[in-house]
Amino acid sequence: MAIERQMSTLPPAQPSYILRGHASQIHSVQFARLNTRLITGDADGWIIYWKLETKRALAVIWQVRSADESALSTALPAEVSHSDRPMPWLLHTLPVNTLNFCAFSMCYASVQAELHGSDDAERDTQSRPEKTHASVLIVVPARDDKKAEVYQFPEEKLSCVVPHAQTKDTGMVMAVKLVRDPITQRTLVITGYEGGLTAVHLLPEADNSTSGMAQLVYLSQPHTQPVLSIDVLPDAKTYYTSGADAIIAAHRIPDLSSRGDDVRDSLSTQGDEDGPPVSVPSQNSDALAPTTSQATTERYCTDKAADNPPVSIPEDVDDQPLLFSKNPVQSSIPTKSAPKAGGLSSLLSNATPLSRAAQSAPQQPSPPSIQAPFKVQNTKHAGQQSLSARSDGRLLATGGWDSRVRIYSAKTLKEVAVLKWHKEGVYAVAFGKILDGIDLEHNARDSQSQDVNREVAKRETGLGKLQRQREEKMQVKHWIAAGAKDGKISLWEVF
């Protein structure tokens, strides 16, 4: 009883820092570079690049490299209405359908890094290639708002189309997520629809010649209102959906390792239709082979056409009356002007032609029916969006229309914390990455290798050492960032 009274008297949690600089509502927040940077974007199109150690803006742009941070403008949108800013460089553009306010999703394509040498430090550095030069996949809503399209960059080409989830109306695509299966290394596209459905599609294997069509492998309808956000656990075995209703649902991603052959066969069916094997109809040999009477009749017919006699009677039927020639022979003789083909062609010409679909041997498996989700939790709080899973797979976080950030257990889906500071709706939530000493050591090694003058890097001054220690202390904290309609970003330190 005393413990409950003490917990009830504790003050509510407060954010560690508040970042101000945007003049409109925040739509996106994302930690970068091992929790040393924070990227935020607002409704006016401004993107601010923050340094977490100083809580200051390093740049107000939409793409940045480490070497160019000092040359970019730091004037915040809320401070000045117009100023001469360095123009940002534009690498690629992709016109998309934004009617449904659906954010895109990105994942790296299969990156192959060759390892040279036997030194462990060199091997660690080369095993993590520069992602800026790697090929990436980006999924966005298609021009047909019930479909999604996967593009490959920097090639700027359409890689795959995600078709309708089912025949009935699912509504617009409201949320998308790209994920790579860790066992098969195949790429999956997870979609959420306006009708409350969620689907998992398997992308075809990489083919640089043409764009393919994704295959549906999972379909569920846990929500009664539109799906607002999707996120996947780091092991790529479970994903979660939140919607405009009060439901948070957990879904098991289908195991592709046990059905790899079936998937390859079904995806290659379309290509096999161009050259199907010869299909011989299964009929009785008696119906296909000519009988003795039919052969005799054909011989009589040939003699009549050649010699034009009144009636040609064979020698072995001399005693037969002439009535034999009046039998209805013409009814069994095909009246064709061209001569009949012989051999296998004559057999196939008499057979009933089969449809093209019946000729192709492999057949696509029936699409999966609507399945029940793995777990469903009614939170009694409608409008939870920007669902985010932490890198250790233990916690989930959502931003609510009621201006609160709610944290849930990824295992039980039970609410474990509520963070309230904003006065208006929270639109964007993100977790910082959970780091350990090995991650920090790799980061320090990369920073040192990028320094041009290594002798200067080795002679660390007292101020530089203090700054590095403070930055490392910021990196290992368990951060969560929330952006709201009021244009402010709150930074929270959680368990």
Side-chain angles (χ1 to χ4, degrees), residues 3 16 23 34 51 63 65 118 145 172 230 237-238 251 254 257 269 273 280 330 360 377 424-426 438 451:
I3 296 178
S16 301
L34 299 179
K51 187 175 182 180
Q63 201 268 351
R65 297 174 296 182
S118 58
D145 55 13
M172 297 186 297
I230 298 172
K237 294 182 179 179
T238 307
H251 309 264
S257 59
T269 302
E273 290 181 356
V280 180
Q330 299 293 338
S360 56
Q377 178 71 21
E424 299 182 74
V426 177
I438 298 178
D451 199 317

Coordinates of all heavy atoms in Angstrom, one line a residue, residues 3 16 23 34 51 63 65 118 145 172 230 237-238 251 254 257 269 273 280 330 360 377 424-426 438 451:
I3 N 3.9 1.4 -1.2 CA 4.5 1.5 -2.5 C 3.6 2.2 -3.5 O 4.0 3.1 -4.3 CB 5.0 0.2 -2.9 CG1 6.1 -0.4 -2.0 CG2 5.6 0.2 -4.3 CD1 6.6 -1.8 -2.3
S16 N 14.1 15.4 -21.5 CA 15.4 15.9 -21.2 C 15.8 17.2 -21.9 O 16.4 18.0 -21.4 CB 16.5 14.8 -21.5 OG 16.2 13.6 -20.8
A23 N 8.9 25.9 -37.9 CA 7.8 26.8 -37.9 C 6.5 26.1 -38.2 O 5.5 26.8 -38.3 CB 8.1 27.9 -38.9
L34 N 24.9 6.7 -35.3 CA 25.1 6.2 -34.0 C 24.7 7.2 -32.9 O 25.4 7.4 -31.9 CB 26.5 5.7 -33.8 CG 27.0 4.6 -34.7 CD1 28.5 4.3 -34.4 CD2 26.2 3.4 -34.6
K51 N 22.9 18.3 -34.1 CA 23.9 17.6 -33.3 C 23.5 17.4 -31.9 O 23.2 18.4 -31.2 CB 25.2 18.4 -33.4 CG 26.4 17.7 -32.8 CD 27.7 18.5 -33.0 CE 28.9 17.7 -32.4 NZ 30.2 18.4 -32.6
Q63 N 20.1 16.9 -47.5 CA 21.1 15.8 -47.6 C 22.4 16.4 -47.2 O 22.8 17.5 -47.6 CB 21.1 15.3 -49.1 CG 21.7 13.9 -49.2 CD 23.2 13.9 -49.5 OE1 23.8 14.9 -49.7 NE2 23.8 12.7 -49.4
R65 N 26.7 15.5 -46.0 CA 27.9 14.6 -45.8 C 28.7 15.2 -44.7 O 28.6 16.4 -44.4 CB 28.7 14.5 -47.1 CG 28.0 13.9 -48.2 CD 28.8 13.9 -49.5 NE 29.0 15.3 -49.9 CZ 29.6 15.7 -51.0 NH1 30.2 14.7 -51.8 NH2 29.8 16.9 -51.3
S118 N 44.4 -9.9 -44.2 CA 44.0 -10.7 -43.0 C 44.0 -9.9 -41.8 O 43.7 -10.5 -40.7 CB 45.1 -11.8 -42.9 OG 46.4 -11.3 -42.7
D145 N -3.6 4.1 -56.4 CA -3.4 4.2 -55.0 C -3.7 2.9 -54.2 O -3.5 2.8 -53.0 CB -4.3 5.3 -54.4 CG -5.7 5.2 -54.7 OD1 -6.1 4.1 -55.2 OD2 -6.5 6.1 -54.5
M172 N -7.0 2.7 -50.1 CA -5.6 3.1 -50.5 C -4.6 2.5 -49.7 O -4.8 2.1 -48.5 CB -5.6 4.7 -50.4 CG -6.5 5.4 -51.3 SD -6.2 7.2 -51.2 CE -6.6 7.5 -49.4
I230 N 3.6 1.0 -39.7 CA 4.1 -0.3 -39.6 C 5.6 -0.3 -39.2 O 6.3 0.6 -39.7 CB 4.0 -1.0 -41.0 CG1 2.5 -1.1 -41.4 CG2 4.6 -2.4 -41.0 CD1 2.3 -1.6 -42.9
K237 N 11.2 -11.3 -38.0 CA 10.3 -12.4 -37.8 C 8.9 -11.9 -37.4 O 7.9 -12.6 -37.6 CB 10.8 -13.4 -36.8 CG 12.0 -14.1 -37.2 CD 12.5 -15.1 -36.1 CE 13.7 -15.8 -36.6 NZ 14.2 -16.8 -35.5
T238 N 8.8 -10.7 -36.9 CA 7.5 -10.2 -36.4 C 7.4 -8.7 -36.8 O 8.4 -8.0 -36.7 CB 7.4 -10.3 -34.9 OG1 7.7 -11.6 -34.5 CG2 6.0 -9.8 -34.4
H251 N 2.1 -9.4 -36.0 CA 2.0 -10.4 -37.1 C 3.3 -11.2 -37.2 O 4.4 -10.6 -37.1 CB 1.6 -9.7 -38.4 CG 0.5 -8.7 -38.3 ND1 -0.8 -9.1 -38.6 CD2 0.4 -7.4 -37.9 CE1 -1.6 -8.1 -38.4 NE2 -0.9 -7.1 -38.0
P254 N 5.8 -14.8 -42.6 CA 5.9 -16.2 -43.0 C 7.4 -16.6 -43.2 O 8.2 -15.8 -43.7 CB 5.1 -16.2 -44.3 CG 4.2 -15.1 -44.3 CD 4.9 -14.0 -43.5
S257 N 12.1 -19.9 -45.7 CA 13.2 -20.9 -45.9 C 12.6 -22.3 -46.3 O 13.2 -23.1 -47.0 CB 14.1 -21.0 -44.7 OG 13.3 -21.4 -43.6
T269 N 6.2 -19.2 -63.3 CA 5.2 -19.7 -64.1 C 4.9 -18.9 -65.3 O 4.6 -19.4 -66.4 CB 3.9 -19.9 -63.2 OG1 4.2 -20.7 -62.1 CG2 2.8 -20.5 -64.0
E273 N 5.0 -20.0 -69.7 CA 3.8 -20.1 -70.6 C 4.2 -19.8 -72.0 O 3.5 -20.1 -72.9 CB 2.8 -19.0 -70.1 CG 2.1 -19.4 -68.8 CD 1.1 -18.4 -68.4 OE1 1.0 -17.4 -69.1 OE2 0.4 -18.6 -67.4
V280 N -0.4 -34.2 -75.4 CA -1.1 -35.1 -76.2 C -2.4 -35.4 -75.6 O -2.4 -35.9 -74.4 CB -0.3 -36.4 -76.5 CG1 -1.1 -37.3 -77.4 CG2 1.0 -36.0 -77.1
Q330 N -21.2 -42.1 -97.3 CA -20.8 -40.7 -97.3 C -20.9 -40.1 -96.0 O -20.2 -39.1 -95.7 CB -21.7 -40.0 -98.3 CG -21.6 -40.5 -99.8 CD -20.2 -40.2 -100.3 OE1 -19.6 -39.3 -99.9 NE2 -19.9 -41.0 -101.4
S360 N -0.1 -25.4 -69.9 CA 1.1 -25.2 -69.0 C 1.0 -26.0 -67.8 O 0.0 -26.0 -67.0 CB 1.2 -23.7 -68.6 OG -0.1 -23.3 -68.0
Q377 N -3.9 -6.1 -29.3 CA -4.1 -5.4 -28.1 C -5.0 -4.2 -28.3 O -4.7 -3.3 -29.2 CB -2.8 -4.9 -27.5 CG -2.9 -4.2 -26.2 CD -3.3 -5.0 -25.0 OE1 -3.2 -6.2 -25.1 NE2 -3.8 -4.4 -24.0
E424 N -0.3 19.5 -28.5 CA -1.0 19.0 -29.7 C -0.5 17.7 -30.1 O 0.4 17.1 -29.5 CB -0.8 20.1 -30.8 CG -1.3 21.5 -30.4 CD -1.1 22.5 -31.6 OE1 -1.9 22.4 -32.5 OE2 -0.2 23.3 -31.5
G425 N -1.2 17.1 -31.1 CA -0.9 15.8 -31.5 C 0.5 15.5 -31.9 O 1.2 16.3 -32.5
V426 N 1.0 14.3 -31.5 CA 2.3 13.8 -31.9 C 2.3 13.0 -33.2 O 1.5 12.1 -33.3 CB 2.9 13.0 -30.7 CG1 4.3 12.4 -31.1 CG2 3.0 13.8 -29.4
I438 N 31.4 -2.0 -28.3 CA 31.9 -2.5 -29.6 C 31.5 -1.5 -30.7 O 32.3 -1.1 -31.5 CB 31.5 -3.9 -29.9 CG1 32.0 -4.9 -28.9 CG2 31.9 -4.3 -31.3 CD1 31.6 -6.3 -29.1
D451 N 40.2 10.8 -40.9 CA 41.0 12.0 -40.7 C 42.2 12.0 -41.6 O 42.9 11.0 -41.7 CB 41.4 12.1 -39.2 CG 41.8 13.5 -38.8 OD1 42.5 14.1 -39.5 OD2 41.4 13.8 -37.6

